[in-house]
Amino acid sequence: MTDTSTSKAATKSPQGLIARFLSDTEIDTRLLGMLGALALIWGGFHLYGVIFNNFGAFLTPRNLWNLSVQTSSIGIMATGMVLVIVTRNIDLSVGSMIGVIAMSMGLLQVEVLPHLVGLGHWSIWIAAVICGLIVGTLIGALHGWLIAYREIPAFIVTLGGLMVWRGMAFLSAGGRTISPVDSKFALLGGGPYGAVGEVGSWIVGILACLGVAYIIYSGRKARVLHNFRLRPLWAEAFLALVGWATIIGAVLLVNSYPWPKGIVRQYGAKIGQDLEGTFISHGFAIPVLILIAVGIAMTILVTRTRFGRYVFAIGGNPEAAALAGIDTRWVTLKVFALMGSLTAIAAIIASARLNSATNALGTLDELYVIAAAVIGGTSLAGGVGKIYGAILGALVMQSLQSGMVLIGFDSAIQRIVVGMVLVLAVYLDILYNKRVK
Amino acid sequence: MSNSGTPLVELKDISIAFGGIKAVDGVSVDLHPGEVVGLLGHNGAGKSTLIKCLSGAYKADSGDVFINGEKVVINNPRDARAHNIETIYQTLALADNLDAASNLFLGREIVGPGGFLDDSKMEAETRKIMGRLNPNFTKFSEPVSALSGGQRQSVAIARAVYFDAKILIMDEPTAALGPQESEMVAELIQELKKQGLGIFLIEHDIHNVMKLCDRASVMKNGQLVGTERVADVTEDDILSMIILGKNPKESS
C-alpha cells in the first residue's frame, strides 16, 4: 500500500516539475514537439547509415551544412505561406512563380545586360535581383487583386497561376536552360565562395548572441514597467544559455566543414599562394543568412506591426476585422504581394544555387512550402500560425528528403514517405489541439 | 427631459434595400445626450440593418445622418469611429484567435517608436478598464475563444467604452448572458447615461426596455411604427406596436 502511494507521488512530482518548468520558461510545447521530431529524424537517418552502410552520413558537418542551404528556399517561402494560410487563403502557384521569376532574372543577366554593360559588370547581379523582386511582387499583387477585389477564390486563382506561370517560364526562352548566371549572383546560392567563412560566422554568431540577450532583457524591462508577471531569473538565464549554446554550436558546426581540396587549390592559384592542405572553413552559407534575416523580419512583421495583427484578425474573424475598420481587401492584396516577393527571394537562391535558370525550376515546391507551413503549426482553418514553426517545418521536410537521398531511397519512396508524414503531422496536430482544449 | 435641444444623432429618412427587398424604408429616429432609445421589433424588422447604417457596416441607399446637427457621411466603420460612434454587435465581432487586448485595440492599436505595436501598454490599459468593468476577468494572455460568454461580452463592451464613445450602439447586449451578468450590463448602461452618452439599445426583452430606455422606437417590416416615451405608454402598448405594427395612440 505504502509502496504504491510513494511511487505515485514520485511519478507525480517530476511531472509537476516539468509543467512548472514549461510555464516558468514559457516554452511553447509545440516547439518542443517539433524539435523532438527533428531529433528523431536526424538520429534515425544517422543510425540507419551506421547500421546498414557502416557509415553515418547524416550528422556530419558536410550534410548538415548542405541541409541548411537546401532548407533556405523552401523556408523563405514558407514564412510567406503562413500569412497566406492564416488569412484563410492558399497559394498553389509559388513553384511555378519560381520558374518564371528565375527565367526573367536569367534572361536579363545572361542575354540582355552583358550586351549593354559588358559581361561580368558589377551591376548585373543587383539588376537581376531587383528585376526578380519586381516580377515576383507584381505577380503576387495580381493574384491578391483577383482574390481580394474580384473575389475569385484563392485556390482557383493560384491553381490558374500554377499553370500560367509555368507555361510562361517555358515560353520565355523556348524551353532553353539559361546558364551560367552572373558570378556574383551565383554567390547568393551558397557554395564554398557563397559562404561567409570562419571569421564572418563568428561575427554573425556574436551578433546573434547579443540579440538573444537584448530580447530577453527588453522583454523583462517591459514586464517590469507594467507590473506583469515576471519569468523567474533562473528561467531567463536558462533561455539565454540555450539560445547562446544553439548559436555557438551552429557556428562551430559550419566552421568545421572545410572547403574541398580542389576549391582550396583553385583559390590558392587565384591569389597566388600555395594553400595545399590548408583548412578553410565554409562558415554560414549566404542563403542561410538570407533565410535567417527573412525569418527575423517576418517575425517582427507578424508580431510587432499593425499589418501582422490585421492579418491574424482577418484569419480569426474576417467580419470582425472589417467592422473594426480594417481594410481587409487591401491587407489580403498585400499578403499575396509579400508572398510574391518572398518567392522571388527563393527563386534567386534556387537559380543561383543551380547556376542556371530552367523553366522547370521550383516544380512541386508549392506542396513542400504548404507542407512546411502546416507541419509548423499553421492551421488551414485560418488565424493560427508561427513564422519559426514554418521554418522548422521546412527543415523537417528537407531533412526527411535529404536523409532519404543519403541512404539511397529512390524518389518514388521519398514521395510516399513525405506524403505520409504530412498527413501524420497534421493528425498529431489535431490530437494535440484537442488535448490542449 | 431630453427631447429639447439639438439631438446627438439624427437619422433622417434612411432607406436601404438588398436585392430589391427594402430592409429599411424611410426610417427617421433621433437620440439625445444622456438618453437611451430602445429599438424594437420582430426579427427581420430592420433594427440591426438601420443601426449598421450608423455604425458604418452598411451604407444607406438614401437618407441623411446628422451628428450634433451637422450632416455627416459614414462610409465605413472607421468614419463611424471618427465620430465617436461605438458599436457592440450582437455577434460581438471579436477575433477569436486574438487575446483581449488585441481585440480591444483592433484597428486602433497603440504603437511605440518606429510604428511597432506596444503590446505591453495595450495589455496594461486593458487590465485597467477590465478592472473597472469586470473585476473577475483574469484571462489576459489567452485568445478570447477560451473565454466564457460573459467574459467575451465584457471585452466587446470594454472596446466600446474605452475609446470615449459619445454614441453607443448596443445590439442585444444581454442576449447571451445570465441574470447576474445582465444586471451588470444594466448598471453599466445607467452609468454611461449619467456620463452623457447617447445609447441606441436593440432589445427584445420588453421588461428591459421599460427599465432601461427613455424612449422606444418600434419597427416593423422595415418601417417605423412609431416612437414613444416609455413613461407615457404601457408594456401592452409597446407590444401591440411590435405585433400589430400600429401605434395605439394614433388610432385612439
Side-chain angles (χ1 to χ4, degrees):
Chain A
M1 279 298 264
T2 40
D3 230 59
T4 48
S5 68
T6 43
S7 74
K8 247 185 197 165
T11 49
K12 201 182 168 190
S13 77
Q15 261 181 357
L17 267 180
I18 292 169
R20 227 192 80 197
F21 172 79
L22 287 176
S23 84
D24 278 350
T25 50
E26 295 170 20
I27 290 176
D28 186 359
T29 44
R30 184 196 295 277
L31 173 68
L32 286 183
M34 291 189 63
L35 291 177
L38 209 53
L40 212 66
I41 292 168
W42 289 15
F45 279 122
H46 192 76
L47 223 66
Y48 185 97
V50 170
I51 294 168
F52 294 96
N53 304 344
N54 283 325
F55 174 64
F58 200 94
L59 294 174
T60 58
R62 177 196 156 103
N63 182 56
L64 293 177
W65 190 89
N66 280 321
L67 183 63
S68 72
V69 176
Q70 287 158 357
T71 304
S72 306
S73 147
I74 299 286
I76 287 168
M77 288 190 281
T79 63
M81 192 62 81
V82 171
L83 299 197
V84 170
I85 297 179
V86 161
T87 54
R88 305 185 179 187
N89 288 305
I90 195 79
D91 194 336
L92 300 172
S93 69
V94 292
S96 297
M97 281 169 68
I98 289 227
V100 80
I101 296 166
M103 287 309 289
S104 74
M105 293 186 298
L107 287 170
L108 183 72
Q109 62 184 313
V110 175
E111 302 198 346
V112 179
L113 287 178
H115 300 297
L116 296 176
V117 296
L119 194 67
H121 192 266
W122 60 269
S123 66
I124 289 180
W125 77 273
I126 299 172
V129 165
I130 292 173
C131 160
L133 288 173
I134 290 173
V135 171
T137 309
L138 285 179
I139 293 177
L142 172 65
H143 289 164
W145 179 74
L146 290 169
I147 292 159
Y149 290 89
R150 299 276 73 98
E151 294 171 10
I152 310 170
F155 186 91
I156 298 302
V157 169
T158 58
L159 183 62
L162 169 88
M163 300 195 254
V164 169
W165 306 122
R166 186 62 71 198
M168 291 249 196
F170 186 90
L171 280 185
S172 61
R176 282 177 301 133
T177 295
I178 309 296
S179 163
V181 297
D182 179 73
S183 61
K184 289 193 192 64
F185 184 86
L187 298 183
L188 299 172
Y193 294 128
V196 295
E198 189 173 6
V199 178
S201 299
W202 277 115
I203 294 173
V204 170
I206 289 165
L207 286 177
C209 286
L210 291 176
V212 167
Y214 173 77
I215 288 168
I216 290 178
Y217 169 75
S218 64
R220 192 171 179 87
K221 210 173 72 173
R223 290 182 187 213
V224 169
L225 182 68
H226 296 290
N227 276 323
F228 295 166
R229 193 177 79 95
L230 291 174
R231 272 196 286 247
L233 272 175
W234 67 262
E236 308 263 26
F238 173 80
L239 288 176
L241 284 177
V242 167
W244 291 339
T246 309
I247 292 161
I248 291 169
V251 172
L252 289 174
L253 177 77
V254 293
N255 279 345
S256 63
Y257 175 40
W259 281 12
K261 286 197 184 77
I263 300 283
V264 174
R265 205 172 299 132
Q266 188 191 34
Y267 180 71
K270 208 167 104 189
I271 60 169
Q273 280 178 31
D274 184 21
L275 296 174
E276 200 61 45
T278 322
F279 187 100
I280 302 180
S281 301
H282 274 81
F284 286 114
I286 290 174
V288 176
L289 296 180
I290 297 175
L291 169 65
I292 293 169
V294 166
I296 293 171
M298 290 293 287
T299 303
I300 292 172
L301 186 73
V302 162
T303 57
R304 312 288 314 144
T305 69
R306 286 194 159 144
F307 172 74
R309 182 64 45 85
Y310 295 169
V311 164
F312 278 79
I314 291 170
N317 187 345
E319 199 198 350
L323 290 175
I326 296 169
D327 190 343
T328 55
R329 293 178 169 190
W330 179 229
V331 172
T332 304
L333 190 150
K334 284 197 281 189
V335 166
F336 276 91
L338 179 65
M339 183 75 245
S341 325
L342 292 168
T343 306
I345 297 175
I348 291 166
I349 291 173
S351 65
R353 190 165 128 76
L354 208 61
N355 200 16
S356 64
T358 73
N359 60 69
L361 195 66
T363 305
L364 283 184
D365 270 10
E366 57 279 343
L367 300 182
Y368 285 101
V369 170
I370 293 167
V374 170
I375 286 179
T378 307
S379 160
L380 286 168
V384 180
K386 289 237 165 60
I387 298 297
Y388 71 74
I391 294 175
L392 275 177
L395 187 57
V396 168
M397 295 296 292
Q398 205 57 55
S399 298
L400 270 178
Q401 198 169 22
S402 76
M404 286 188 288
V405 171
L406 223 55
I407 62 178
F409 280 5
D410 66 38
S411 66
I413 297 182
Q414 287 176 32
R415 284 190 189 167
I416 291 172
V417 172
V418 168
M420 291 196 307
V421 165
L422 174 63
V423 175
L424 183 70
V426 173
Y427 179 59
L428 288 177
D429 198 52
I430 291 169
L431 289 184
Y432 170 85
N433 282 333
K434 272 189 186 153
R435 270 193 58 188
V436 167
K437 271 172 193 165
Chain B
M1 62 166 200
S2 49
N3 280 7
S4 58
T6 317
L8 187 56
V9 187
E10 209 180 346
L11 294 170
K12 257 195 188 156
D13 229 6
I14 301 286
S15 294
I16 183 169
F18 298 103
I21 296 165
K22 283 205 163 181
V24 175
D25 188 3
V27 173
S28 300
V29 289
D30 62 354
L31 178 68
H32 291 261
E35 186 187 35
V36 179
V37 171
L39 285 173
L40 292 88
H42 283 306
N43 289 331
K47 305 163 304 210
S48 291
T49 310
L50 172 69
I51 233 61
K52 281 183 173 171
C53 294
L54 181 60
S55 71
Y58 295 150
K59 197 174 169 342
D61 296 335
S62 66
D64 296 317
V65 179
F66 295 87
I67 292 178
N68 291 322
E70 276 178 49
K71 190 177 161 180
V72 298
V73 179
I74 295 173
N75 284 323
N76 53 47
R78 259 169 299 162
D79 291 348
R81 287 176 163 196
H83 290 109
N84 292 323
I85 301 170
E86 293 292 335
T87 312
I88 300 164
Y89 292 97
Q90 194 177 0
T91 58
L92 303 185
L94 298 173
D96 276 338
N97 55 334
L98 301 181
D99 60 18
S102 303
N103 269 294
L104 203 153
F105 287 94
L106 193 60
R108 291 179 284 205
E109 292 77 6
I110 300 177
V111 292
F116 291 114
L117 298 177
D118 191 343
D119 275 322
S120 10
K121 178 87 187 288
M122 287 192 267
E123 187 178 330
E125 290 294 308
T126 307
R127 281 170 188 266
K128 260 189 234 163
I129 185 146
M130 293 309 279
R132 225 182 78 206
L133 291 176
N134 185 354
N136 300 326
F137 191 96
T138 52
K139 292 181 172 173
F140 288 98
S141 52
E142 280 167 70
V144 295
S145 59
L147 307 182
S148 72
Q151 289 170 328
R152 290 161 57 82
Q153 186 85 39
S154 53
V155 173
I157 292 175
R159 171 160 69 183
V161 175
Y162 178 82
F163 291 97
D164 291 328
K166 299 236 162 50
I167 300 148
L168 191 58
I169 301 167
M170 299 174 112
D171 193 348
E172 298 200 38
T174 57
L177 300 184
Q180 225 176 348
E181 288 158 326
S182 299
E183 191 50 43
M184 266 172 60
V185 172
E187 280 168 25
L188 179 73
I189 289 175
Q190 299 294 353
E191 191 197 317
L192 295 173
K193 210 177 123 170
K194 268 188 216 135
Q195 292 171 14
L197 274 76
I199 300 174
F200 275 124
L201 181 66
I202 297 181
E203 182 62 71
H204 274 300
D205 186 335
I206 192 76
H207 301 293
N208 278 342
V209 172
M210 300 306 282
K211 192 172 78 179
L212 297 172
C213 299
D214 298 301
R215 286 185 296 151
S217 294
V218 179
M219 288 178 72
K220 191 176 167 82
N221 299 332
Q223 290 176 327
L224 185 71
V225 177
T227 302
E228 291 298 332
R229 285 174 60 92
V230 168
D232 299 347
V233 291
T234 62
E235 278 187 22
D236 287 345
D237 290 337
I238 292 181
L239 283 175
S240 74
M241 283 168 84
I242 295 172
I243 296 162
L244 301 173
K246 273 191 279 188
N247 192 334
K249 289 198 158 181
E250 280 167 8
S251 58
S252 65

